[in-house]
Amino acid sequence: MALSLLRLACAAALVPAALAQIIVRSDPEPVATAITVDGLDFSDAGDVTTATLKGINFGCKCYPGEWCWPSTAKWNVLNATVEGRLRVNIPPGAVCHNTLTTPLGSLNTYDAAKCADVQQNWENELWHTNHPTSELWTYFTNDTCRPTQNPTDSCTLGYYGVYVIMATKAQHVKAGIDFARRNNLRLIVRNTGHDFIGRSTGYGALIINTHSFQNINWINSYNGPGGYTGGAVTIGAGVQGKTILDAGHARSPPVVVVTGECPTVGIAGGFVQGAGHGPWTTLKGFSADNVLSFEAITASGQYVTANAAQNPDLFWALKGGGPASFAVILSVTMKTFPDLPSTGATLYINTTHTLDPNVFWDGVGTFHKWSNHFVDNGLYVYFEIFPFTFRIRPFVAIGKTSAQLQTIIQPFLDELATKGIPHEFNMKSFPTFYDLYVDLFEGETPGSSALTGGWMFNHKDVATNNGGIIDAFKTVASPRSDLVGLMVGHLFNPGYGAPQSNSATHPAWRNATDFIITILPVPVGSSLAQKADLQNVLTNTMDAALRQASTSGCTYVNEADPYQPNWQSNFWGSEYPKLRLLRLKWDPLGVFYAISTPGTEGWEVIDNGTRLCRRLDL
């Protein structure tokens, strides 16, 4: 929604009409250079405010209404620097409400036509990712301003940021970083909003939207540092998975990169900073393992190249070391691979096959028993476990014929038949993986509110404790008599054929078999006490059951419970101490922040999920 700053009528950040007369700079696009940490300068950083909570002293980011909040003149200068691309943040559902109440004041927002558009598209992934600040899953926005048929319903900004820079150039990103640092503001970097755990939203924040960075530049033979000489592609920060797969398929011959399974995931930002897994991961490792170079902007506002030769420590950290932790990525250069003929298959067990829970869970357990076998034969498998619904869609066999996939899966199918477990199985061959992807992978449904957790099971877990894993699945599915949990599973092994990692990812992933995402729906309008109760169930019942059934000690940075105990070890293992030191080196002030990422131990979001503060006693 294109409401400009001129629409905001409040004393704290009123932007006068004179804004239109400000002369906008037009500097040439900068070129990243080999800046090292020795050249970083944080001397212009803003002062912190203070707070005390339960006897603990905090130094906090600056928020609207406080003495440190930037003046109108400062916001005007920022808007001029970003060439008029600073916007008041309007949540996507606000157009269905008469009034939006924000920390800066109130706006009249109702628009019947736009409200109809919101209601029609609330479950449309691309619609959300194209919005300046929308989150595909709404829990971490505080479920504010949802679409409604009653325009008088309350609508507040919730945990959204207050301003957003719709960046189209690197200078716009730098201006946002510099402004946040100089004024001690909470800074959020948002690409698509495809975010399970709230890292691309934050109360009172300045948001930098990088979604317009859509450049794709193909490289036939990479000759940069690191010794790799094959095909590559440079991808802008806003490019999504389906976009790059479409572009690769149009090449002659077709090529692919390691993307996520969901079409709307942005590749070059938080995805690769969290490792990045998808259908090619068993064969080629994480997306992070396939990065050749980054162009980025540091917390001090410096343009940098990070690769095997320039800033190699930053290069390593950006590859799986945590989203929003070390620098803002402008582009990533990744390896490409020839696309291959592929075969896919689906399998379903649901209420059309059985109403017996013992039969249902026996089918799930039989499948999982064979999961080591599947990944050891180079497969990727995506599956879902919902109440009386077990969906494998799909088995992915890249570079394999239908006969080869049938041979791999047949022992599993034979066991189902021997046990008399009814099911539906289908298989289909495709000329390329791309064709398989378009046909068999499904988009995700946004707009709901839920807590997310998860855990990885390794080869040993499956081989020695498959029964314990299935018991844990049952706990997740029914964690309490009044609750229902959901699961999304992924069979892959980033160590298959390439056991040595060159990224900051947890070493335990190199013997992985199954990564499970746990989901606990949260009713809209839940009180703080209800939310705390559900968080406790997710952490200490659902995910605890998975942890107890496993020896891996590992989970995935972007799709797991950020409030779990020992998140440092569970996300990064032995790599964590190095990552923490690098975070202190490249961002000592905490200009960037995302929950449960390296170096954030002293940071807390206090005052009921609003103010971001750092403990002063640590």
Side-chain angles (χ1 to χ4, degrees):
M1 185 176 182
L3 289 180
S4 73
L5 287 171
L6 298 176
R7 291 284 303 276
L8 185 61
C10 62
L14 179 64
V15 180
L19 177 62
Q21 277 101 49
I22 294 176
I23 297 175
V24 177
R25 290 188 339 204
S26 183
D27 297 333
E29 189 75 5
V31 176
T33 57
I35 298 294
T36 65
V37 73
D38 296 334
L40 301 184
D41 182 5
F42 294 92
S43 62
D44 62 350
D47 294 330
V48 300
T49 60
T50 58
T52 302
L53 180 67
K54 297 180 180 179
I56 301 172
N57 294 322
F58 291 92
C60 300
K61 298 289 186 179
C62 188
Y63 290 93
E66 297 179 330
W67 62 268
C68 53
W69 185 254
S71 66
T72 298
K74 285 186 176 180
W75 287 109
N76 286 346
V77 170
L78 174 61
N79 191 48
T81 305
V82 300
E83 302 176 307
R85 302 195 66 81
L86 183 66
R87 302 282 187 270
V88 171
N89 182 23
I90 308 296
V95 291
C96 295
H97 299 257
N98 288 335
T99 304
L100 166 65
T101 303
T102 83
L104 302 177
S106 297
L107 285 172
N108 296 326
T109 51
Y110 183 74
D111 185 309
K114 291 179 180 177
C115 178
D117 180 67
V118 170
Q119 291 169 332
Q120 180 180 353
N121 288 287
W122 193 246
E123 295 184 354
N124 181 322
E125 283 185 274
L126 284 175
W127 186 90
H128 282 276
T129 61
N130 289 333
H131 185 276
T133 61
S134 181
E135 291 282 286
L136 269 69
W137 296 278
T138 60
Y139 178 81
F140 286 98
T141 70
N142 203 26
D143 282 315
T144 184
C145 283
R146 296 178 67 88
T148 178
Q149 299 290 342
N150 182 5
T152 64
D153 284 347
S154 173
C155 174
T156 70
L157 199 57
Y159 298 158
Y160 279 110
V162 293
Y163 289 122
V164 55
I165 298 171
M166 299 300 294
T168 60
K169 300 178 181 178
Q171 300 101 301
H172 302 161
V173 177
K174 171 178 167 54
I177 295 171
D178 289 342
F179 192 82
R181 183 185 65 252
R182 291 166 182 164
N183 293 282
N184 191 36
L185 304 181
R186 183 170 181 181
L187 181 65
I188 296 291
V189 181
R190 190 266 189 194
N191 177 9
T192 68
H194 192 288
D195 175 12
F196 289 153
I197 54 181
R199 286 172 172 152
S200 54
T201 194
Y203 172 84
L206 172 63
I207 305 161
I208 301 174
N209 182 303
T210 61
H211 192 55
S212 72
F213 288 68
Q214 293 288 328
N215 54 295
I216 299 174
N217 297 308
W218 300 98
I219 304 167
N220 291 329
S221 182
Y222 183 78
N223 60 3
Y228 176 76
T229 58
V233 62
T234 298
I235 304 170
V239 175
Q240 293 165 278
K242 179 61 163 48
T243 302
I244 191 63
L245 290 176
D246 287 344
H249 184 66
R251 302 280 290 170
S252 182
V255 297
V256 297
V257 298
V258 179
T259 69
E261 60 85 17
C262 180
T264 60
V265 175
I267 302 304
F271 174 73
V272 75
Q273 288 175 291
H277 68 82
W280 281 79
T281 292
T282 296
L283 298 182
K284 300 298 181 182
F286 286 122
S287 287
D289 298 326
N290 292 285
V291 173
L292 300 167
S293 188
F294 293 100
E295 302 294 331
I297 305 179
T298 69
S300 66
Q302 301 291 331
Y303 298 96
V304 297
T305 295
N307 55 36
Q310 301 179 57
N311 303 301
D313 60 346
L314 180 61
F315 176 54
W316 178 81
L318 288 173
K319 296 188 297 178
S325 296
F326 302 95
V328 177
I329 296 172
L330 300 174
S331 71
V332 60
T333 301
M334 299 179 64
K335 299 175 184 177
T336 62
F337 305 101
D339 201 350
L340 299 172
S342 299
T343 303
T346 60
L347 186 142
Y348 307 107
I349 301 174
N350 52 45
T351 55
T352 65
H353 305 106
T354 182
L355 293 175
D356 186 335
N358 294 322
V359 173
F360 176 83
W361 283 110
D362 196 9
V364 174
T366 302
F367 159 76
H368 205 266
K369 168 188 171 182
W370 289 95
S371 54
N372 282 348
H373 171 75
F374 296 145
V375 297
D376 288 347
N377 280 276
L379 302 190
Y380 169 92
V381 186
Y382 180 88
F383 64 95
E384 297 165 333
I385 304 174
F386 300 154
F388 261 106
T389 300
F390 178 48
R391 303 176 77 243
I392 304 173
R393 184 185 175 102
F395 291 91
V396 179
I398 298 170
K400 289 181 168 58
T401 65
S402 57
Q404 289 172 314
L405 179 57
Q406 186 73 47
T407 298
I408 295 169
I409 295 179
Q410 194 60 51
F412 161 54
L413 298 177
D414 289 344
E415 186 166 352
L416 289 180
T418 299
K419 291 182 174 181
I421 298 173
H423 60 277
E424 176 187 338
F425 177 76
N426 295 286
M427 187 166 57
K428 185 177 180 180
S429 295
F430 299 88
T432 65
F433 162 77
Y434 175 85
D435 293 291
L436 180 155
Y437 180 84
V438 170
D439 189 40
L440 293 183
F441 280 89
E442 302 168 314
E444 294 176 308
T445 302
S448 60
S449 182
L451 291 166
T452 303
W455 199 253
M456 184 270 279
F457 296 100
N458 62 23
H459 275 49
K460 180 180 178 181
D461 297 331
V462 174
T464 63
N465 192 33
N466 192 61
I469 294 171
I470 301 307
D471 286 342
F473 286 2
K474 294 177 182 178
T475 298
V476 172
S478 183
R480 202 168 65 189
S481 61
D482 60 329
L483 297 174
V484 173
L486 315 173
M487 283 165 278
V488 175
H490 316 73
L491 304 188
F492 61 83
N493 180 11
Y496 174 89
Q500 298 301 316
S501 168
N502 65 6
S503 61
T505 53
H506 197 306
W509 281 109
R510 305 304 155 170
N511 192 36
T513 294
D514 182 12
F515 170 62
I516 290 288
I517 299 175
T518 56
I519 303 167
L520 183 61
V522 178
V524 174
S526 295
S527 67
L528 290 174
Q530 289 170 319
K531 291 179 179 179
D533 173 53
L534 293 174
Q535 180 65 61
N536 180 61
V537 170
L538 179 81
T539 302
N540 297 312
T541 300
M542 295 169 66
D543 278 14
L546 300 183
R547 293 193 295 267
Q548 291 165 8
S550 167
T551 64
S552 73
C554 177
T555 190
Y556 182 65
V557 175
N558 289 340
E559 297 168 328
D561 176 12
Y563 301 103
Q564 66 187 281
N566 304 316
W567 57 265
Q568 298 93 331
S569 176
N570 293 341
F571 283 149
W572 289 286
S574 59
E575 307 291 12
Y576 185 78
K578 181 179 176 181
L579 285 167
R580 187 173 187 274
L581 290 175
L582 287 175
R583 177 66 181 275
L584 295 175
K585 175 181 177 180
W586 286 96
D587 183 18
L589 302 180
V591 174
F592 306 127
Y593 172 81
I595 188 170
S596 300
T597 52
T600 60
E601 285 83 355
W603 290 92
E604 295 183 33
V605 179
I606 66 171
D607 293 345
N608 297 325
T610 56
R611 302 173 69 195
L612 176 62
C613 305
R614 178 155 55 181
R615 293 183 58 159
L616 299 178
D617 59 346
L618 295 179

